[in-house]
Amino acid sequence: MATLNDYLLVSGLLFAIGLAGVVMRRNIIIVFMCLELMLSAANLTLVAFSRFHVTANGLPDYNGQMLVFFVITVAAAEVAVGLAIIVALYRARQTIHTDELTSLKG
Amino acid sequence: MNLAWLLILLPLAVAAANQLVLKKTGLAPLISTASAIATFVLAVLLLGKNETSHFAWATIGDFSINIGYKLDQLSTGMMIVVTGVGMLVHIFSLAYMKEDSAKARYFTGLSLFMFSMTGIVLADNFIMTFIFWELVGLSSYLLIGHWYQKDSAADAAKKAFLCNRIGDFGFLVGILMLWGITGHLAFDSMKGGLEHFIAANPLIATGVISAAVLCIFCGAIGKSAQLPLHVWLPDAMEGPTPVSALIHAATMVAAGVYMLFRLQFTLGFEHFEGLTASTVIAWTGGITSLVAALMATQQDDIKKILAYSTLSQLGYMVMAVGLVAGEAGMFHLFTHAWFKALLFLGSGAVIYACHHEQNIWKMGGLLKKMPITGFTFLIGFLALIAVPGFSGFFSKEQILEAAHEKNQALFWIAAGVAVLTPFYMTRLFVVAFLGKTKSENADHAHEVGPLMFVPLLLLAVLGFAAGYPAIASKLAPAYHQPEHLIHLGLVTYVSIAALIIGVVTGFILYTGKDKDPVSIPLFQNRFYLDAIYEKGIVRYFQDAFAMIISFIDELLITGLIVNGSSRAAASFGNLFRKVQSGSLQGYAFCFGLGCLFVIYFAVFGH
């Protein structure tokens, strides 16, 4: 049976992959997907903690899982807004490569 | 609100209103003139009152600088002179400046001057005197430079201001010394402090007091244009003529005499008898009056002649104050204010009628063409040369008598001046008003309008009558009524002989002449003093100083502080600019790194 550490390891890996993607990939859609991956990593952690934290009456601590639902809801909304921004961006600039989106350069 | 505060603040309010609101409306001249008339009425109402009042203007710990007024016979009498001449000059200016494009500015300046002068006269402490002393300097600067488009006017204004500043530096030091000696700044409490000081330090007291008085006298040297700072006054004639009448003949230049007399009056005359400073003051006055009278004999500009004559008469007053006969000086100040304002306004009328011709050799025959102006000018002339029966005679007599009593050498200098004054004034009168006209401008001259000749007539009445005890005892500041109206004796004989010699030589030399038969370059060039100042002091001190200042300004202030700080900010900004790469992933990386640090320190940091 998998231990808490295994779950945390997987979640950490997922988070690291997500972060690496955000930092390194140039395609903004992939960056966006990697962001989602990081959220999922966080969710996985929360669920794992919830499952392994047994309360006085023998049930898992569901507070963590409640939080996950909120995260998923907010993430869904965020995806909608984020994709809309990306579409608008593409219409304005005809590109979704972060290398070419540097108009904020000082 | 009592009358004295109103008297001080009304001209200020008018000046502010003129400058801020009424500039474009054309009302400014009328409002200023109305306020000048109102201040004269107030001054008459306050005449002879005895009152003081003040409020703390700035308080530091238990030391406070007050603004207040002190009404006594001296200040209320002086206010009659200031507001009386001021009022007539305002009225005269209405006509004289009618066609000037900057009338509002001119009248604002006049009102500002009236405010400042009132402040000097009514001040109840030395700091307030000093503040208003500077303010008259400022308004004088503004009015001399009224026609600032002319280089000569702008230069004259600057010269007047700088000369005054030199004197004022000494004045400020003197005030501080006096404060150190007496422990007080208010006139009322100074005398007690001085006596306490003398009792505590009997050995050094006279020396220290002498030094303080000399420093204060520096202020009077600047303001009353005594040697060696007299050079600004003749140049100040670049200003409009009514300004010369008000500021540079009747009131501001007399402020030095007034202030010195106020000082003696405050500290007690007995402390000034035999003081070295008094001797220095008397000699400065005497020499100034002689030198200025000599310079006046060879000038061709009608206003310059009057300016040197003013210098010479101021020298008389200062000499009288130095001889601790200040009442005589103040009496001469009083009579001189009227007849000199009359002469200046008369010359203003002449200049106006002759289309701004100021050279007396291009006038001539004006008595016939301008009978009222000519006649009033004649009265002023007779008063100035001290013909018995005219106001100038009585006051000059008192000064000569004081000199005769206290210092023979100065008496004979004053007698010499009494010869020169009728001489140069006769020259002026004969050349400009008698004989035949000498230029086209003078040919076209005709009598000025009533706005101009009414002030002249009023001044002529006072110029004639101000010396009689019936008037002087009521109006004149610090008037000391003599036992006899005319006291026959050596002094009277000398002064009448001087008068006759002067007038007769003047008549003989100048009747029917087209150009000056006498030419003395030394006097024409004002003893070369201006040239010496220009070549010596201006070049070696002012210019050298200007170079240092410019160096500091350009390198230190501009280069280092102003541009330097902006450059520092810019380079600092450039440094941080690199951080704003505009690359999304760069930001994300930094953000991730930051999070990592935060977590690391939060978890393992202990």
Side-chain angles (χ1 to χ4, degrees), chain A residues 22-26 28 31 98 101-102 104-106, chain B residues 577-578 580-589 592:
Chain A
V22 167
V23 172
M24 294 187 335
R25 298 305 294 261
R26 294 294 179 250
I28 206 160
V31 169
T98 53
L101 297 169
T102 56
L104 275 180
K105 188 169 164 48
Chain B
R577 202 168 156 176
K578 303 255 165 27
Q580 299 288 328
S581 60
S583 130
L584 185 64
Q585 265 114 7
Y587 297 151
F589 181 68

Short mmCIF file of all heavy atoms in Angstrom, two decimals, chain A residues 22-26 28 31 98 101-102 104-106, chain B residues 577-578 580-589 592:
data_model
loop_
_atom_site.label_atom_id
_atom_site.label_comp_id
_atom_site.label_asym_id
_atom_site.label_seq_id
_atom_site.Cartn_x
_atom_site.Cartn_y
_atom_site.Cartn_z
N VAL A 22 6.37 25.94 -17.05
CA VAL A 22 6.03 27.38 -17.04
C VAL A 22 7.27 28.20 -17.37
O VAL A 22 7.22 29.16 -18.14
CB VAL A 22 5.46 27.77 -15.67
CG1 VAL A 22 5.41 29.29 -15.54
CG2 VAL A 22 4.07 27.21 -15.50
N VAL A 23 8.40 27.79 -16.78
CA VAL A 23 9.61 28.60 -16.96
C VAL A 23 10.22 28.41 -18.33
O VAL A 23 10.73 29.35 -18.94
CB VAL A 23 10.62 28.27 -15.84
CG1 VAL A 23 11.94 28.95 -16.10
CG2 VAL A 23 10.06 28.70 -14.50
N MET A 24 10.14 27.19 -18.86
CA MET A 24 10.96 26.91 -20.04
C MET A 24 10.20 26.92 -21.36
O MET A 24 10.76 27.31 -22.38
CB MET A 24 11.67 25.57 -19.86
CG MET A 24 12.64 25.73 -18.74
SD MET A 24 13.77 24.40 -18.41
CE MET A 24 13.10 22.93 -18.95
N ARG A 25 8.94 26.53 -21.36
CA ARG A 25 8.26 26.44 -22.65
C ARG A 25 7.91 27.82 -23.16
O ARG A 25 7.66 28.75 -22.40
CB ARG A 25 6.98 25.58 -22.52
CG ARG A 25 7.26 24.15 -22.12
CD ARG A 25 8.24 23.49 -23.07
NE ARG A 25 7.71 23.33 -24.40
CZ ARG A 25 7.19 22.18 -24.85
NH1 ARG A 25 7.18 21.10 -24.08
NH2 ARG A 25 6.71 22.10 -26.07
N ARG A 26 7.90 27.97 -24.53
CA ARG A 26 7.66 29.29 -25.09
C ARG A 26 6.23 29.45 -25.56
O ARG A 26 5.75 30.55 -25.74
CB ARG A 26 8.62 29.52 -26.27
CG ARG A 26 10.06 29.59 -25.85
CD ARG A 26 10.32 30.83 -24.99
NE ARG A 26 11.70 30.92 -24.55
CZ ARG A 26 12.09 30.74 -23.30
NH1 ARG A 26 11.21 30.43 -22.36
NH2 ARG A 26 13.35 30.86 -22.96
N ILE A 28 2.52 29.75 -25.19
CA ILE A 28 1.79 30.21 -24.01
C ILE A 28 0.70 29.23 -23.60
O ILE A 28 0.34 29.12 -22.43
CB ILE A 28 1.22 31.62 -24.28
CG1 ILE A 28 1.06 32.35 -22.94
CG2 ILE A 28 -0.08 31.59 -25.00
CD1 ILE A 28 0.99 33.83 -23.09
N VAL A 31 2.40 26.74 -21.51
CA VAL A 31 2.67 27.38 -20.21
C VAL A 31 1.42 27.30 -19.36
O VAL A 31 1.45 26.95 -18.18
CB VAL A 31 3.11 28.83 -20.42
CG1 VAL A 31 3.13 29.58 -19.10
CG2 VAL A 31 4.47 28.89 -21.07
N THR A 98 5.97 33.44 -26.12
CA THR A 98 6.31 34.42 -25.09
C THR A 98 7.55 35.23 -25.47
O THR A 98 7.71 36.35 -25.00
CB THR A 98 6.56 33.73 -23.75
OG1 THR A 98 7.52 32.72 -23.94
CG2 THR A 98 5.29 33.16 -23.19
N LEU A 101 6.43 38.40 -26.98
CA LEU A 101 5.53 39.26 -26.21
C LEU A 101 6.33 39.98 -25.13
O LEU A 101 6.26 39.65 -23.96
CB LEU A 101 4.42 38.42 -25.56
CG LEU A 101 3.52 37.71 -26.56
CD1 LEU A 101 2.64 36.70 -25.84
CD2 LEU A 101 2.66 38.70 -27.30
N THR A 102 7.14 40.95 -25.55
CA THR A 102 8.02 41.61 -24.57
C THR A 102 7.81 43.12 -24.56
O THR A 102 8.73 43.89 -24.34
CB THR A 102 9.50 41.33 -24.89
OG1 THR A 102 9.72 41.75 -26.22
CG2 THR A 102 9.84 39.88 -24.73
N LEU A 104 6.55 44.89 -22.38
CA LEU A 104 6.72 45.48 -21.04
C LEU A 104 8.19 45.70 -20.69
O LEU A 104 8.50 46.11 -19.58
CB LEU A 104 6.08 44.58 -19.99
CG LEU A 104 4.58 44.78 -19.77
CD1 LEU A 104 4.08 43.82 -18.72
CD2 LEU A 104 4.28 46.20 -19.36
N LYS A 105 9.07 45.40 -21.66
CA LYS A 105 10.50 45.56 -21.38
C LYS A 105 10.81 47.02 -21.03
O LYS A 105 10.38 47.94 -21.71
CB LYS A 105 11.29 45.14 -22.61
CG LYS A 105 12.78 45.07 -22.40
CD LYS A 105 13.40 44.39 -23.60
CE LYS A 105 14.89 44.60 -23.70
NZ LYS A 105 15.63 44.37 -22.48
N GLY A 106 11.56 47.22 -19.97
CA GLY A 106 11.84 48.59 -19.51
C GLY A 106 12.88 49.28 -20.35
O GLY A 106 13.66 48.66 -21.04
N ARG B 577 16.30 48.91 -14.51
CA ARG B 577 15.63 48.73 -15.78
C ARG B 577 15.91 47.33 -16.33
O ARG B 577 15.05 46.70 -16.92
CB ARG B 577 16.19 49.78 -16.73
CG ARG B 577 15.31 50.07 -17.86
CD ARG B 577 15.85 51.30 -18.48
NE ARG B 577 15.44 51.34 -19.84
CZ ARG B 577 15.69 52.35 -20.63
NH1 ARG B 577 16.39 53.36 -20.15
NH2 ARG B 577 15.27 52.35 -21.84
N LYS B 578 17.13 46.88 -16.09
CA LYS B 578 17.54 45.56 -16.57
C LYS B 578 16.60 44.47 -16.04
O LYS B 578 16.36 43.46 -16.70
CB LYS B 578 18.96 45.25 -16.10
CG LYS B 578 19.98 46.29 -16.53
CD LYS B 578 20.82 45.74 -17.65
CE LYS B 578 21.61 46.78 -18.40
NZ LYS B 578 21.99 47.98 -17.74
N GLN B 580 13.48 44.68 -15.53
CA GLN B 580 12.22 44.66 -16.28
C GLN B 580 12.50 44.12 -17.68
O GLN B 580 12.48 44.87 -18.65
CB GLN B 580 11.65 46.08 -16.35
CG GLN B 580 11.33 46.69 -15.02
CD GLN B 580 10.12 46.06 -14.37
OE1 GLN B 580 9.20 45.63 -15.07
NE2 GLN B 580 10.12 45.94 -13.06
N SER B 581 12.71 42.79 -17.78
CA SER B 581 13.12 42.24 -19.07
C SER B 581 11.96 42.14 -20.03
O SER B 581 12.15 42.07 -21.23
CB SER B 581 13.73 40.86 -18.86
OG SER B 581 12.73 40.05 -18.27
N GLY B 582 10.73 42.09 -19.49
CA GLY B 582 9.59 41.91 -20.36
C GLY B 582 9.36 40.45 -20.71
O GLY B 582 8.40 40.12 -21.40
N SER B 583 10.25 39.59 -20.24
CA SER B 583 10.06 38.17 -20.58
C SER B 583 9.25 37.49 -19.50
O SER B 583 9.61 37.50 -18.32
CB SER B 583 11.43 37.51 -20.74
OG SER B 583 11.49 36.34 -19.98
N LEU B 584 8.12 36.93 -19.92
CA LEU B 584 7.17 36.32 -18.98
C LEU B 584 7.84 35.25 -18.15
O LEU B 584 7.71 35.21 -16.92
CB LEU B 584 6.02 35.75 -19.80
CG LEU B 584 4.87 35.17 -19.00
CD1 LEU B 584 4.21 36.27 -18.21
CD2 LEU B 584 3.88 34.52 -19.94
N GLN B 585 8.61 34.42 -18.84
CA GLN B 585 9.19 33.30 -18.13
C GLN B 585 10.27 33.73 -17.13
O GLN B 585 10.44 33.11 -16.09
CB GLN B 585 9.78 32.30 -19.12
CG GLN B 585 8.80 31.23 -19.43
CD GLN B 585 8.34 31.26 -20.86
OE1 GLN B 585 8.87 32.03 -21.67
NE2 GLN B 585 7.37 30.43 -21.19
N GLY B 586 10.94 34.80 -17.49
CA GLY B 586 11.92 35.34 -16.55
C GLY B 586 11.24 35.70 -15.24
O GLY B 586 11.70 35.34 -14.15
N TYR B 587 10.10 36.38 -15.37
CA TYR B 587 9.36 36.76 -14.15
C TYR B 587 8.95 35.52 -13.39
O TYR B 587 9.07 35.45 -12.17
CB TYR B 587 8.12 37.57 -14.50
CG TYR B 587 8.39 38.90 -15.18
CD1 TYR B 587 7.48 39.45 -16.06
CD2 TYR B 587 9.56 39.59 -14.89
CE1 TYR B 587 7.73 40.66 -16.67
CE2 TYR B 587 9.82 40.80 -15.50
CZ TYR B 587 8.91 41.34 -16.39
OH TYR B 587 9.15 42.52 -16.99
N ALA B 588 8.42 34.55 -14.13
CA ALA B 588 7.93 33.34 -13.47
C ALA B 588 9.07 32.64 -12.74
O ALA B 588 8.90 32.18 -11.60
CB ALA B 588 7.32 32.41 -14.52
N PHE B 589 10.24 32.62 -13.37
CA PHE B 589 11.39 31.96 -12.76
C PHE B 589 11.77 32.67 -11.46
O PHE B 589 11.97 32.04 -10.42
CB PHE B 589 12.56 31.98 -13.75
CG PHE B 589 13.78 31.30 -13.23
CD1 PHE B 589 13.80 29.92 -13.02
CD2 PHE B 589 14.91 32.03 -12.92
CE1 PHE B 589 14.93 29.30 -12.54
CE2 PHE B 589 16.03 31.42 -12.42
CZ PHE B 589 16.04 30.05 -12.23
N GLY B 592 9.24 31.90 -8.86
CA GLY B 592 9.44 30.56 -8.30
C GLY B 592 10.61 30.54 -7.35
O GLY B 592 10.53 29.99 -6.23
#
